Short mmCIF file of all heavy atoms in Angstrom, two decimals:
data_model
loop_
_atom_site.label_atom_id
_atom_site.label_comp_id
_atom_site.label_asym_id
_atom_site.label_seq_id
_atom_site.Cartn_x
_atom_site.Cartn_y
_atom_site.Cartn_z
N GLY A 1 -3.21 9.05 11.15
CA GLY A 1 -3.49 7.96 11.90
C GLY A 1 -3.69 6.59 11.12
O GLY A 1 -3.64 5.51 11.62
N TRP A 2 -3.59 6.69 9.79
CA TRP A 2 -3.73 5.41 8.97
C TRP A 2 -2.56 4.50 9.12
O TRP A 2 -2.68 3.26 8.95
CB TRP A 2 -4.16 5.62 7.49
CG TRP A 2 -3.10 6.35 6.74
CD1 TRP A 2 -2.89 7.61 6.61
CD2 TRP A 2 -2.15 5.69 5.93
NE1 TRP A 2 -1.86 7.86 5.74
CE2 TRP A 2 -1.25 6.70 5.27
CE3 TRP A 2 -1.64 4.38 5.69
CZ2 TRP A 2 -0.09 6.41 4.57
CZ3 TRP A 2 -0.68 3.96 4.97
CH2 TRP A 2 0.12 5.18 4.32
N MET A 3 -1.37 5.13 9.34
CA MET A 3 -0.19 4.24 9.46
C MET A 3 -0.23 3.28 10.56
O MET A 3 0.37 2.21 10.61
CB MET A 3 1.10 5.18 9.56
CG MET A 3 1.35 6.07 8.45
SD MET A 3 2.45 5.49 7.24
CE MET A 3 3.97 4.93 8.09
N GLU A 4 -1.02 3.68 11.75
CA GLU A 4 -1.06 2.71 12.74
C GLU A 4 -1.87 1.42 12.50
O GLU A 4 -1.77 0.56 13.12
CB GLU A 4 -1.67 3.46 13.96
CG GLU A 4 -0.76 4.38 14.62
CD GLU A 4 -1.36 5.79 14.68
OE1 GLU A 4 -2.49 5.97 14.65
OE2 GLU A 4 -0.56 6.80 14.84
N SER A 5 -2.72 1.63 11.37
CA SER A 5 -3.65 0.44 11.14
C SER A 5 -3.21 -0.21 9.73
O SER A 5 -4.11 -0.89 9.17
CB SER A 5 -5.03 0.82 11.01
OG SER A 5 -5.27 1.92 10.17
N VAL A 6 -1.97 -0.14 9.38
CA VAL A 6 -1.50 -0.60 8.07
C VAL A 6 -1.78 -2.21 7.98
O VAL A 6 -2.27 -2.69 7.06
CB VAL A 6 -0.11 -0.26 7.71
CG1 VAL A 6 0.42 -1.04 6.66
CG2 VAL A 6 -0.02 1.21 7.59
N SER A 7 -1.40 -2.74 9.09
CA SER A 7 -1.59 -4.33 9.03
C SER A 7 -3.00 -4.65 8.91
O SER A 7 -3.18 -5.74 8.06
CB SER A 7 -0.99 -4.91 10.36
OG SER A 7 -1.72 -4.46 11.43
N ALA A 8 -3.93 -4.04 9.48
CA ALA A 8 -5.35 -4.32 9.34
C ALA A 8 -5.78 -4.13 7.84
O ALA A 8 -6.55 -4.87 7.20
CB ALA A 8 -6.15 -3.59 10.24
N HIS A 9 -5.18 -2.95 7.20
CA HIS A 9 -5.50 -2.67 5.80
C HIS A 9 -5.01 -3.76 4.82
O HIS A 9 -5.56 -3.91 3.80
CB HIS A 9 -4.98 -1.34 5.60
CG HIS A 9 -5.72 -0.16 5.97
ND1 HIS A 9 -5.66 0.19 7.26
CD2 HIS A 9 -6.66 0.53 5.45
CE1 HIS A 9 -6.57 1.25 7.37
NE2 HIS A 9 -7.02 1.51 6.30
N LEU A 10 -3.90 -4.42 5.26
CA LEU A 10 -3.38 -5.39 4.38
C LEU A 10 -4.15 -6.75 4.31
O LEU A 10 -3.77 -7.67 3.52
CB LEU A 10 -1.83 -5.73 4.74
CG LEU A 10 -0.89 -4.57 4.49
CD1 LEU A 10 0.45 -4.91 5.16
CD2 LEU A 10 -0.88 -4.17 3.16
N GLU A 11 -5.12 -6.82 5.10
CA GLU A 11 -6.03 -8.07 5.20
C GLU A 11 -7.12 -8.09 4.05
O GLU A 11 -7.56 -9.23 3.68
CB GLU A 11 -6.59 -8.23 6.46
CG GLU A 11 -5.60 -8.46 7.61
CD GLU A 11 -6.14 -8.49 8.92
OE1 GLU A 11 -7.46 -8.48 9.04
OE2 GLU A 11 -5.42 -8.52 9.92
N THR A 12 -7.42 -6.90 3.36
CA THR A 12 -8.39 -7.04 2.40
C THR A 12 -8.04 -6.12 1.22
O THR A 12 -7.22 -5.20 1.28
CB THR A 12 -9.72 -6.37 2.89
OG1 THR A 12 -9.54 -4.87 3.29
CG2 THR A 12 -10.24 -7.13 4.16
N THR A 13 -8.54 -6.45 0.03
CA THR A 13 -8.20 -5.58 -1.20
C THR A 13 -8.84 -4.21 -1.00
O THR A 13 -8.14 -3.25 -1.55
CB THR A 13 -8.77 -6.28 -2.40
OG1 THR A 13 -10.28 -6.47 -2.31
CG2 THR A 13 -8.15 -7.53 -2.69
N ASP A 14 -9.94 -3.94 -0.27
CA ASP A 14 -10.47 -2.59 -0.07
C ASP A 14 -9.48 -1.93 0.79
O ASP A 14 -9.16 -0.72 0.67
CB ASP A 14 -11.72 -2.66 0.56
CG ASP A 14 -12.84 -3.03 -0.33
OD1 ASP A 14 -12.63 -3.01 -1.62
OD2 ASP A 14 -13.98 -3.40 0.09
N GLY A 15 -8.82 -2.54 1.76
CA GLY A 15 -7.93 -1.81 2.76
C GLY A 15 -6.66 -1.46 1.87
O GLY A 15 -6.15 -0.34 2.12
N ILE A 16 -6.22 -2.38 1.00
CA ILE A 16 -5.08 -2.05 0.19
C ILE A 16 -5.27 -0.94 -0.76
O ILE A 16 -4.48 -0.12 -0.89
CB ILE A 16 -4.56 -3.30 -0.59
CG1 ILE A 16 -4.13 -4.31 0.38
CG2 ILE A 16 -3.57 -2.96 -1.61
CD1 ILE A 16 -3.92 -5.76 -0.21
N ALA A 17 -6.48 -0.90 -1.33
CA ALA A 17 -6.92 0.20 -2.18
C ALA A 17 -6.90 1.47 -1.40
O ALA A 17 -6.37 2.59 -1.98
CB ALA A 17 -8.27 -0.03 -2.83
N SER A 18 -7.31 1.54 -0.16
CA SER A 18 -7.27 2.71 0.69
C SER A 18 -5.71 3.15 0.91
O SER A 18 -5.57 4.34 0.86
CB SER A 18 -7.89 2.40 2.03
OG SER A 18 -7.81 3.49 2.90
N LEU A 19 -4.96 2.11 1.25
CA LEU A 19 -3.53 2.52 1.37
C LEU A 19 -2.92 3.07 0.19
O LEU A 19 -2.10 4.14 0.25
CB LEU A 19 -2.71 1.23 1.88
CG LEU A 19 -2.84 0.71 3.27
CD1 LEU A 19 -2.15 -0.52 3.41
CD2 LEU A 19 -2.38 1.85 4.23
N VAL A 20 -3.24 2.58 -1.00
CA VAL A 20 -2.64 3.12 -2.33
C VAL A 20 -3.12 4.50 -2.55
O VAL A 20 -2.37 5.30 -2.89
CB VAL A 20 -3.16 2.22 -3.37
CG1 VAL A 20 -2.86 2.87 -4.74
CG2 VAL A 20 -2.45 0.74 -3.40
N THR A 21 -4.42 4.82 -2.26
CA THR A 21 -4.84 6.26 -2.26
C THR A 21 -4.16 7.12 -1.44
O THR A 21 -3.67 8.19 -1.73
CB THR A 21 -6.41 6.24 -2.01
OG1 THR A 21 -7.11 5.42 -2.96
CG2 THR A 21 -6.92 7.73 -2.03
N GLU A 22 -3.94 6.73 -0.17
CA GLU A 22 -3.20 7.49 0.76
C GLU A 22 -1.82 7.78 0.45
O GLU A 22 -1.23 8.89 0.48
CB GLU A 22 -3.15 6.92 2.20
CG GLU A 22 -4.68 6.81 2.90
CD GLU A 22 -5.11 8.16 3.30
OE1 GLU A 22 -4.32 9.08 3.56
OE2 GLU A 22 -6.28 8.36 3.39
N LEU A 23 -1.15 6.68 -0.12
CA LEU A 23 0.23 6.78 -0.59
C LEU A 23 0.26 7.88 -1.81
O LEU A 23 1.29 8.59 -1.95
CB LEU A 23 0.87 5.43 -0.95
CG LEU A 23 1.20 4.63 0.33
CD1 LEU A 23 1.50 3.10 -0.11
CD2 LEU A 23 2.34 5.23 1.05
N GLY A 24 -0.67 7.68 -2.72
CA GLY A 24 -0.67 8.59 -3.82
C GLY A 24 -0.85 9.99 -3.43
O GLY A 24 -0.12 10.91 -3.93
N GLN A 25 -1.66 10.24 -2.42
CA GLN A 25 -1.63 11.58 -1.88
C GLN A 25 -0.46 12.08 -1.17
O GLN A 25 -0.05 13.20 -1.28
CB GLN A 25 -2.89 11.74 -0.92
CG GLN A 25 -4.21 11.65 -1.60
CD GLN A 25 -5.33 11.46 -0.55
OE1 GLN A 25 -5.18 11.35 0.69
NE2 GLN A 25 -6.58 11.43 -1.12
N LEU A 26 0.30 11.17 -0.59
CA LEU A 26 1.52 11.52 0.09
C LEU A 26 2.54 12.05 -0.92
O LEU A 26 3.39 12.94 -0.60
CB LEU A 26 2.17 10.28 0.80
CG LEU A 26 3.52 10.50 1.63
CD1 LEU A 26 3.23 11.55 2.69
CD2 LEU A 26 3.91 9.25 2.23
N LYS A 27 2.45 11.61 -2.16
CA LYS A 27 3.35 12.00 -3.18
C LYS A 27 3.39 13.54 -3.40
O LYS A 27 4.28 14.11 -3.88
CB LYS A 27 3.30 11.25 -4.47
CG LYS A 27 3.82 9.86 -4.32
CD LYS A 27 3.55 8.96 -5.56
CE LYS A 27 3.25 9.68 -6.91
NZ LYS A 27 3.21 8.54 -7.95
N GLY A 28 2.16 14.13 -3.18
CA GLY A 28 1.95 15.52 -3.32
C GLY A 28 2.61 16.38 -2.09
O GLY A 28 2.59 17.56 -2.33
N TYR A 29 2.85 15.74 -1.03
CA TYR A 29 3.32 16.48 0.05
C TYR A 29 4.89 16.46 0.08
O TYR A 29 5.46 15.35 -0.10
CB TYR A 29 2.99 15.93 1.37
CG TYR A 29 1.40 16.05 1.58
CD1 TYR A 29 0.65 14.92 1.59
CD2 TYR A 29 0.80 17.17 1.76
CE1 TYR A 29 -0.74 15.02 1.81
CE2 TYR A 29 -0.63 17.32 1.90
CZ TYR A 29 -1.36 16.16 1.94
OH TYR A 29 -2.66 16.26 2.03
N LYS A 30 5.51 17.48 0.24
CA LYS A 30 6.95 17.55 0.24
C LYS A 30 7.51 17.73 1.64
O LYS A 30 8.66 17.54 1.97
CB LYS A 30 7.46 18.73 -0.72
CG LYS A 30 7.10 18.54 -2.13
CD LYS A 30 7.56 17.18 -2.74
CE LYS A 30 7.16 17.01 -4.12
NZ LYS A 30 7.32 15.68 -4.61
N LYS A 31 6.64 18.17 2.65
CA LYS A 31 7.01 18.37 3.99
C LYS A 31 6.54 17.33 4.83
O LYS A 31 5.45 16.65 4.54
CB LYS A 31 6.65 19.69 4.52
CG LYS A 31 7.27 20.84 3.89
CD LYS A 31 6.69 22.20 4.26
CE LYS A 31 7.28 23.35 3.56
NZ LYS A 31 6.90 24.66 4.01
N SER A 32 7.13 16.96 5.85
CA SER A 32 6.54 16.05 6.94
C SER A 32 6.36 14.70 6.40
O SER A 32 5.30 14.07 6.64
CB SER A 32 5.18 16.59 7.62
OG SER A 32 5.41 17.81 8.06
N ARG A 33 7.14 14.09 5.51
CA ARG A 33 7.08 12.85 5.08
C ARG A 33 7.60 11.88 6.01
O ARG A 33 8.60 12.05 6.87
CB ARG A 33 7.90 12.64 3.67
CG ARG A 33 7.12 13.29 2.60
CD ARG A 33 7.86 12.93 1.20
NE ARG A 33 6.98 13.37 0.19
CZ ARG A 33 7.33 12.94 -1.06
NH1 ARG A 33 8.30 12.15 -1.37
NH2 ARG A 33 6.57 13.47 -2.10
N PRO A 34 7.18 10.61 6.06
CA PRO A 34 7.65 9.60 6.85
C PRO A 34 9.20 9.28 6.53
O PRO A 34 9.51 9.51 5.34
CB PRO A 34 6.91 8.36 6.51
CG PRO A 34 5.59 8.88 5.88
CD PRO A 34 6.04 10.03 5.18
N LEU A 35 9.85 8.92 7.46
CA LEU A 35 11.32 8.58 7.16
C LEU A 35 11.57 7.18 6.78
O LEU A 35 10.84 6.27 7.30
CB LEU A 35 12.09 8.93 8.59
CG LEU A 35 12.14 10.38 8.95
CD1 LEU A 35 12.91 10.45 10.26
CD2 LEU A 35 12.56 11.31 7.89
N PHE A 36 12.46 6.97 5.92
CA PHE A 36 12.98 5.54 5.66
C PHE A 36 14.41 5.66 5.66
O PHE A 36 15.12 6.43 4.89
CB PHE A 36 12.36 5.28 4.22
CG PHE A 36 12.86 4.03 3.66
CD1 PHE A 36 12.18 2.84 4.23
CD2 PHE A 36 13.87 3.83 2.72
CE1 PHE A 36 12.60 1.56 3.88
CE2 PHE A 36 14.19 2.58 2.35
CZ PHE A 36 13.68 1.54 2.78
N ASN A 37 14.98 4.84 6.55
CA ASN A 37 16.41 4.83 6.69
C ASN A 37 16.94 6.21 7.19
O ASN A 37 18.08 6.58 6.64
CB ASN A 37 17.26 4.24 5.48
CG ASN A 37 17.07 2.71 5.34
OD1 ASN A 37 16.81 2.10 6.30
ND2 ASN A 37 17.20 2.31 4.12
N GLY A 38 16.24 6.96 7.90
CA GLY A 38 16.61 8.27 8.44
C GLY A 38 16.44 9.39 7.47
O GLY A 38 16.61 10.45 7.81
N GLU A 39 15.88 9.04 6.25
CA GLU A 39 15.67 10.12 5.17
C GLU A 39 14.21 10.11 4.85
O GLU A 39 13.54 9.12 4.81
CB GLU A 39 16.52 9.89 3.98
CG GLU A 39 18.00 9.96 4.16
CD GLU A 39 18.60 11.25 4.39
OE1 GLU A 39 17.98 12.16 3.99
OE2 GLU A 39 19.55 11.34 5.20
N PRO A 40 13.76 11.35 4.46
CA PRO A 40 12.32 11.43 4.04
C PRO A 40 12.11 10.51 2.90
O PRO A 40 12.88 10.46 1.95
CB PRO A 40 12.05 12.84 3.61
CG PRO A 40 13.09 13.60 4.42
CD PRO A 40 14.28 12.61 4.48
N ILE A 41 11.03 9.67 2.87
CA ILE A 41 10.72 8.82 1.87
C ILE A 41 10.49 9.66 0.46
O ILE A 41 10.04 10.78 0.48
CB ILE A 41 9.38 8.08 2.10
CG1 ILE A 41 9.29 6.86 1.16
CG2 ILE A 41 8.14 8.88 2.18
CD1 ILE A 41 8.22 5.84 1.60
N THR A 42 10.96 9.04 -0.70
CA THR A 42 10.89 9.77 -1.93
C THR A 42 9.67 9.33 -2.77
O THR A 42 9.05 8.40 -2.49
CB THR A 42 12.18 9.40 -2.77
OG1 THR A 42 12.11 8.06 -3.09
CG2 THR A 42 13.46 9.70 -1.93
N ASP A 43 9.36 10.09 -3.79
CA ASP A 43 8.27 9.79 -4.58
C ASP A 43 8.60 8.44 -5.29
O ASP A 43 7.55 7.59 -5.36
CB ASP A 43 8.08 10.85 -5.74
CG ASP A 43 7.42 11.97 -5.24
OD1 ASP A 43 6.99 12.15 -4.20
OD2 ASP A 43 7.42 13.10 -6.00
N ASN A 44 9.75 8.08 -5.59
CA ASN A 44 10.06 6.79 -6.38
C ASN A 44 9.83 5.67 -5.37
O ASN A 44 9.28 4.61 -5.76
CB ASN A 44 11.61 6.83 -6.76
CG ASN A 44 11.86 5.58 -7.51
OD1 ASN A 44 11.20 5.18 -8.53
ND2 ASN A 44 12.95 4.88 -7.26
N GLN A 45 10.21 5.82 -4.09
CA GLN A 45 10.01 4.80 -3.09
C GLN A 45 8.49 4.55 -2.85
O GLN A 45 7.99 3.46 -2.70
CB GLN A 45 10.68 5.15 -1.80
CG GLN A 45 12.12 5.04 -1.75
CD GLN A 45 12.86 5.71 -0.64
OE1 GLN A 45 12.39 6.67 -0.08
NE2 GLN A 45 13.91 5.08 -0.08
N ILE A 46 7.71 5.73 -2.79
CA ILE A 46 6.27 5.62 -2.66
C ILE A 46 5.73 4.81 -3.79
O ILE A 46 4.88 3.91 -3.63
CB ILE A 46 5.64 6.97 -2.50
CG1 ILE A 46 6.07 7.65 -1.14
CG2 ILE A 46 4.06 6.89 -2.62
CD1 ILE A 46 5.76 9.12 -1.12
N GLU A 47 6.17 5.10 -5.07
CA GLU A 47 5.55 4.46 -6.18
C GLU A 47 5.96 2.91 -6.17
O GLU A 47 5.11 2.13 -6.58
CB GLU A 47 6.20 5.15 -7.42
CG GLU A 47 5.47 4.68 -8.77
CD GLU A 47 3.92 4.90 -8.78
OE1 GLU A 47 3.52 6.04 -8.21
OE2 GLU A 47 3.20 4.01 -9.25
N LEU A 48 7.16 2.70 -5.87
CA LEU A 48 7.48 1.25 -5.75
C LEU A 48 6.62 0.49 -4.72
O LEU A 48 6.21 -0.65 -4.93
CB LEU A 48 8.94 0.97 -5.37
CG LEU A 48 9.99 1.50 -6.44
CD1 LEU A 48 11.41 1.40 -5.99
CD2 LEU A 48 9.81 0.60 -7.65
N PHE A 49 6.33 1.12 -3.57
CA PHE A 49 5.46 0.51 -2.54
C PHE A 49 4.04 0.33 -3.19
O PHE A 49 3.45 -0.62 -2.84
CB PHE A 49 5.41 1.44 -1.29
CG PHE A 49 4.87 0.72 -0.06
CD1 PHE A 49 5.05 -0.57 0.20
CD2 PHE A 49 4.00 1.43 0.63
CE1 PHE A 49 4.48 -1.16 1.31
CE2 PHE A 49 3.30 0.82 1.78
CZ PHE A 49 3.60 -0.56 2.00
N ILE A 50 3.59 1.43 -3.88
CA ILE A 50 2.23 1.15 -4.44
C ILE A 50 2.23 0.05 -5.50
O ILE A 50 1.17 -0.72 -5.42
CB ILE A 50 1.85 2.47 -5.14
CG1 ILE A 50 1.62 3.64 -4.12
CG2 ILE A 50 0.68 2.36 -6.16
CD1 ILE A 50 1.34 5.02 -4.81
N VAL A 51 3.22 -0.11 -6.31
CA VAL A 51 3.22 -1.23 -7.26
C VAL A 51 3.26 -2.52 -6.46
O VAL A 51 2.44 -3.50 -6.79
CB VAL A 51 4.61 -1.14 -8.13
CG1 VAL A 51 4.77 -2.46 -8.90
CG2 VAL A 51 4.44 -0.01 -9.09
N ASP A 52 3.98 -2.64 -5.38
CA ASP A 52 3.98 -3.93 -4.55
C ASP A 52 2.59 -4.19 -3.95
O ASP A 52 2.18 -5.25 -3.84
CB ASP A 52 5.03 -3.94 -3.49
CG ASP A 52 6.50 -4.06 -4.02
OD1 ASP A 52 6.52 -4.58 -5.13
OD2 ASP A 52 7.49 -3.74 -3.32
N LEU A 53 2.05 -3.19 -3.45
CA LEU A 53 0.69 -3.24 -2.89
C LEU A 53 -0.34 -3.68 -3.83
O LEU A 53 -1.23 -4.58 -3.46
CB LEU A 53 0.27 -1.96 -2.27
CG LEU A 53 0.74 -1.66 -0.90
CD1 LEU A 53 0.36 -0.12 -0.53
CD2 LEU A 53 0.39 -2.51 0.20
N LYS A 54 -0.22 -3.23 -5.09
CA LYS A 54 -1.14 -3.61 -6.10
C LYS A 54 -0.90 -5.09 -6.44
O LYS A 54 -1.91 -5.78 -6.75
CB LYS A 54 -1.07 -2.81 -7.32
CG LYS A 54 -1.61 -1.29 -7.13
CD LYS A 54 -1.57 -0.47 -8.38
CE LYS A 54 -2.21 0.83 -8.03
NZ LYS A 54 -2.15 1.74 -9.24
N LYS A 55 0.29 -5.47 -6.55
CA LYS A 55 0.65 -6.97 -6.75
C LYS A 55 -0.04 -7.76 -5.50
O LYS A 55 -0.54 -8.84 -5.90
CB LYS A 55 2.07 -7.17 -6.93
CG LYS A 55 2.67 -6.64 -8.15
CD LYS A 55 4.16 -6.91 -8.13
CE LYS A 55 4.84 -6.21 -9.33
NZ LYS A 55 6.33 -6.40 -9.30
N TYR A 56 0.09 -7.40 -4.38
CA TYR A 56 -0.38 -8.09 -3.33
C TYR A 56 -1.90 -8.13 -3.35
O TYR A 56 -2.47 -9.24 -3.03
CB TYR A 56 0.16 -7.52 -2.01
CG TYR A 56 -0.34 -8.28 -0.71
CD1 TYR A 56 0.10 -9.63 -0.50
CD2 TYR A 56 -1.12 -7.65 0.23
CE1 TYR A 56 -0.41 -10.25 0.56
CE2 TYR A 56 -1.60 -8.39 1.35
CZ TYR A 56 -1.22 -9.60 1.51
OH TYR A 56 -1.60 -10.31 2.59
N SER A 57 -2.49 -7.09 -3.66
CA SER A 57 -4.03 -7.09 -3.84
C SER A 57 -4.44 -8.03 -4.88
O SER A 57 -5.43 -8.89 -4.70
CB SER A 57 -4.47 -5.65 -4.22
OG SER A 57 -5.85 -5.62 -4.26
N ALA A 58 -3.69 -8.12 -6.04
CA ALA A 58 -4.07 -9.18 -7.07
C ALA A 58 -3.87 -10.60 -6.53
O ALA A 58 -4.74 -11.40 -6.80
CB ALA A 58 -3.19 -8.79 -8.34
N TYR A 59 -2.87 -10.78 -5.69
CA TYR A 59 -2.58 -12.12 -5.13
C TYR A 59 -3.84 -12.44 -4.21
O TYR A 59 -4.31 -13.64 -4.33
CB TYR A 59 -1.36 -12.06 -4.27
CG TYR A 59 -1.19 -13.29 -3.38
CD1 TYR A 59 -0.86 -14.50 -3.80
CD2 TYR A 59 -1.44 -13.09 -2.00
CE1 TYR A 59 -0.73 -15.55 -2.98
CE2 TYR A 59 -1.43 -14.13 -1.09
CZ TYR A 59 -0.89 -15.40 -1.58
OH TYR A 59 -0.79 -16.49 -0.86
N LEU A 60 -4.21 -11.47 -3.38
CA LEU A 60 -5.39 -11.74 -2.46
C LEU A 60 -6.72 -12.09 -3.19
O LEU A 60 -7.51 -12.98 -2.88
CB LEU A 60 -5.67 -10.52 -1.55
CG LEU A 60 -4.61 -10.39 -0.46
CD1 LEU A 60 -5.14 -9.05 0.38
CD2 LEU A 60 -4.61 -11.43 0.44
N LYS A 61 -6.93 -11.45 -4.28
CA LYS A 61 -8.09 -11.64 -5.14
C LYS A 61 -8.03 -12.99 -5.86
O LYS A 61 -8.97 -13.75 -5.81
CB LYS A 61 -8.11 -10.55 -6.36
CG LYS A 61 -8.64 -9.20 -5.80
CD LYS A 61 -8.70 -8.27 -6.95
CE LYS A 61 -8.83 -6.88 -6.60
NZ LYS A 61 -8.90 -5.86 -7.63
N ASN A 62 -6.75 -13.33 -6.22
CA ASN A 62 -6.60 -14.72 -6.82
C ASN A 62 -6.89 -15.75 -5.91
O ASN A 62 -7.40 -16.89 -6.13
CB ASN A 62 -5.28 -14.89 -7.44
CG ASN A 62 -5.19 -14.17 -8.76
OD1 ASN A 62 -6.10 -13.87 -9.42
ND2 ASN A 62 -3.91 -13.74 -9.12
N GLU A 63 -6.35 -15.58 -4.63
CA GLU A 63 -6.51 -16.56 -3.45
C GLU A 63 -8.11 -16.74 -3.17
O GLU A 63 -8.60 -17.71 -3.05
CB GLU A 63 -5.84 -16.20 -2.29
CG GLU A 63 -4.25 -16.32 -2.36
CD GLU A 63 -4.05 -17.87 -2.40
OE1 GLU A 63 -4.37 -18.60 -1.53
OE2 GLU A 63 -3.27 -18.19 -3.34
N ALA A 64 -8.73 -15.56 -3.12
CA ALA A 64 -10.18 -15.66 -2.81
C ALA A 64 -10.95 -16.37 -3.97
O ALA A 64 -11.81 -17.19 -3.71
CB ALA A 64 -10.76 -14.11 -2.69
N LEU A 65 -10.55 -16.09 -5.20
CA LEU A 65 -11.17 -16.76 -6.28
C LEU A 65 -10.96 -18.30 -6.22
O LEU A 65 -11.83 -19.16 -6.48
CB LEU A 65 -10.78 -16.19 -7.59
CG LEU A 65 -11.21 -14.84 -8.04
CD1 LEU A 65 -10.49 -14.41 -9.23
CD2 LEU A 65 -12.78 -14.81 -8.17
N SER A 66 -9.73 -18.67 -5.91
CA SER A 66 -9.35 -20.12 -5.86
C SER A 66 -10.15 -20.76 -4.76
O SER A 66 -10.62 -22.00 -4.90
CB SER A 66 -7.90 -20.32 -5.54
OG SER A 66 -7.11 -19.90 -6.53
N LYS A 67 -10.34 -20.06 -3.52
CA LYS A 67 -11.14 -20.68 -2.55
C LYS A 67 -12.63 -20.87 -2.90
O LYS A 67 -13.20 -21.85 -2.57
CB LYS A 67 -10.97 -19.82 -1.26
CG LYS A 67 -9.64 -19.95 -0.53
CD LYS A 67 -9.60 -19.09 0.64
CE LYS A 67 -8.19 -19.24 1.33
NZ LYS A 67 -8.07 -18.35 2.45
N ASN A 68 -13.20 -19.87 -3.57
CA ASN A 68 -14.53 -19.89 -3.96
C ASN A 68 -14.76 -21.01 -5.09
O ASN A 68 -15.79 -21.70 -5.17
CB ASN A 68 -14.92 -18.50 -4.62
CG ASN A 68 -15.14 -17.50 -3.52
OD1 ASN A 68 -15.42 -17.89 -2.35
ND2 ASN A 68 -15.08 -16.32 -3.91
N LYS A 69 -13.80 -21.32 -5.95
CA LYS A 69 -13.92 -22.34 -6.89
C LYS A 69 -13.90 -23.63 -6.09
O LYS A 69 -14.51 -24.69 -6.76
CB LYS A 69 -12.74 -22.22 -8.03
CG LYS A 69 -12.87 -21.23 -8.94
CD LYS A 69 -11.76 -21.20 -9.82
CE LYS A 69 -11.90 -20.06 -10.83
NZ LYS A 69 -10.88 -19.98 -11.80
N GLY A 70 -13.18 -23.82 -5.12
CA GLY A 70 -13.12 -25.04 -4.34
C GLY A 70 -14.37 -25.39 -3.56
O GLY A 70 -14.64 -26.50 -3.21
N ASN A 71 -15.37 -24.51 -3.39
CA ASN A 71 -16.56 -24.64 -2.72
C ASN A 71 -17.64 -25.13 -3.54
O ASN A 71 -17.86 -25.02 -4.62
CB ASN A 71 -17.01 -23.42 -1.99
CG ASN A 71 -16.06 -23.02 -0.83
OD1 ASN A 71 -15.49 -23.98 -0.31
ND2 ASN A 71 -15.92 -21.84 -0.57
#
C-alpha cells in the first residue's frame, strides 16, 4: 500500500526516510518486485533511487533551514 502514497511521502523528510526504509527492504525480496520498463526492478535501480531520495531529503532540509533563517 505505500506505493499509492509516494507523492505524500515526498513532502517531508520523515516520509522520505520511510520510503528509503521500504526500498531497502525491497532489495531483500526477489519475487513480486515492481516492474520498471516491463522488467522487475533490480537491486542497482533500487539503490540509485535511494541515493536520489537521500539527496532530495537533504535539499528539503536545506530549504527548511533557509526559510527558518529568514524569519
Side-chain angles (χ1 to χ4, degrees):
W2 67 270
M3 294 267 312
E4 287 124 19
S5 62
V6 168
S7 62
H9 281 81
L10 293 175
E11 295 174 8
T12 66
T13 55
D14 287 342
I16 293 170
S18 176
L19 286 174
V20 168
T21 298
E22 293 289 336
L23 286 168
Q25 292 173 355
L26 182 61
K27 287 178 16 179
Y29 297 111
K30 299 300 176 194
K31 296 180 182 180
S32 303
R33 285 191 171 190
L35 298 180
F36 180 74
N37 288 335
E39 297 290 328
I41 194 168
T42 66
D43 284 351
N44 188 50
Q45 289 167 323
I46 292 169
E47 191 57 40
L48 291 172
F49 190 47
I50 288 172
V51 168
D52 285 344
L53 284 171
K54 288 180 177 180
K55 287 178 186 177
Y56 182 63
S57 182
Y59 166 79
L60 287 179
K61 285 179 187 175
N62 286 336
E63 286 294 305
L65 288 173
S66 294
K67 286 180 183 178
N68 287 336
K69 287 180 182 179
N71 291 334

